């Protein structure tokens, strides 16, 4: 699939500085892929959040014991 893409001139230098050894085309393809993955992840997390329950989460947290952390698990 091919698209004519018009990018504002002020992005040209920034893209050239960030793209490293890859072509501008590959840089843009990667940026689009990252954006798609980000949007899919956001949608997935929103769907998961809708099926969750605050009461259930608090109930799970209430089941945690009050025992101190074992020596190897302590933060200094």
């Amino acid at each position: 699939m091919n698209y004519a893409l018009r990018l504002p001139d002020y992005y040209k230098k920034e893209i050239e500085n960030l793209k490293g050894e890859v072509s501008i085309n590959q840089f843009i393809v990667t940026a689009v892929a990252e954006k798609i993955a980000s949007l899919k992840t956001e949608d997935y997390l929103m769907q998961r959040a809708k099926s969750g329950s605050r009461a259930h989460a608090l109930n799970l947290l209430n089941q945690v014991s009050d025992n101190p952390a074992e020596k190897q698990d302590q933060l200094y």
Side-chain angles (χ1 to χ4, degrees), residues 5-58:
L5 179 63
R6 293 177 187 234
L7 291 173
D9 289 336
Y10 51 85
Y11 285 132
K12 181 182 179 190
K13 187 171 185 169
E14 191 166 356
I15 289 171
E16 287 176 348
N17 289 336
L18 293 172
K19 73 178 184 70
E21 297 294 319
V22 301
S23 67
I24 290 178
N25 182 69
Q26 186 60 44
F27 179 85
I28 292 170
V29 168
T30 303
V32 170
E34 288 177 7
K35 183 63 176 182
I36 290 169
S38 174
L39 292 172
K40 284 183 172 182
T41 299
E42 181 182 14
D43 184 53
Y44 169 77
L45 293 174
M46 294 298 283
Q47 294 302 318
R48 292 282 304 196
K50 287 179 185 176
S51 68
S53 162
R54 180 179 175 91
H56 183 255
L58 291 173

